[in-house]
Amino acid sequence: MQRSKQQALMFLLGAVLVGGVLGFSAERVMSHGSTDHSWAARTAMYDDLELSPAQRTAMDSVIDEKNRRVDSLLKPVKPQIDSVRANARAQFYRIFSAEQRGKFEARVREDSLRRDQARRTREREDSVRRSETQRTLEQTKK
């Protein structure tokens, strides 16, 4: 009897760990790592490489196309990833006390708000940067 409890506990611990790792990895992939694709990171790379405005525009196009293609590849599996995440979260709730569950839910909400805010900031930066790059490119053509 004791051995089966230990096995069940080890299985549950393994499932939680795998779910956590998978959820973390999926989140990084699905959210595109807010700094990896931000304009600040791009600009730093462009500045380091001393790219011209035309080269920057070309690089933006290549990176944006790559992001669209990756998104299209991930789109069919996103529901499966969401399901795995929801399953892991359900297992977490069975482990947590009521107080821990409340703290965890608050943390999830805060993380979601932070990601949404980072996404909106990134989209704003993208729009401004595209406009600036387009203006610079048009001025160099004149």
Side-chain angles (χ1 to χ4, degrees):
M1 182 71 170
Q2 184 66 19
R3 182 156 171 80
S4 62
K5 284 183 181 179
Q6 288 175 338
Q7 286 177 331
L9 186 59
M10 293 305 288
F11 176 77
L12 184 58
L13 180 60
V16 168
L17 290 174
V18 168
V21 168
L22 184 60
F24 176 77
S25 299
E27 178 60 32
R28 297 292 253 180
V29 168
M30 299 309 282
S31 70
H32 304 295
S34 61
T35 58
D36 292 345
H37 300 289
S38 71
W39 278 104
R42 284 189 195 187
T43 301
M45 180 181 71
Y46 295 170
D47 291 345
D48 185 49
L49 295 173
E50 299 176 5
L51 298 182
S52 70
Q55 288 174 310
R56 290 172 188 244
T57 301
M59 286 289 291
D60 286 342
S61 296
V62 171
I63 292 170
D64 291 344
E65 177 61 20
K66 184 232 8 152
N67 289 341
R68 279 191 293 276
R69 292 180 74 186
V70 168
D71 288 346
S72 71
L73 291 171
L74 290 174
K75 192 173 185 174
V77 297
K78 187 176 183 329
Q80 293 168 322
I81 292 170
D82 291 344
S83 175
V84 169
R85 183 180 295 132
N87 186 347
R89 191 165 290 162
Q91 291 178 32
F92 293 163
Y93 291 156
R94 287 194 290 271
I95 296 168
F96 296 154
S97 68
E99 182 181 339
Q100 291 167 329
R101 185 177 301 125
K103 287 180 180 180
F104 181 77
E105 288 171 347
R107 190 173 205 148
V108 168
R109 280 191 303 275
E110 289 169 7
D111 289 346
S112 179
L113 289 173
R114 191 172 23 259
R115 276 192 310 276
D116 288 346
Q117 184 178 4
R119 180 188 48 78
R120 285 191 302 274
T121 300
R122 190 172 54 249
E123 288 172 353
R124 242 186 338 268
E125 289 173 355
D126 287 355
S127 177
V128 168
R129 181 63 63 190
R130 281 192 181 104
S131 297
E132 289 173 356
T133 303
Q134 188 62 35
R135 258 194 315 272
T136 303
L137 189 59
E138 288 172 358
Q139 289 174 352
T140 58
K141 287 182 180 180
K142 291 181 181 180

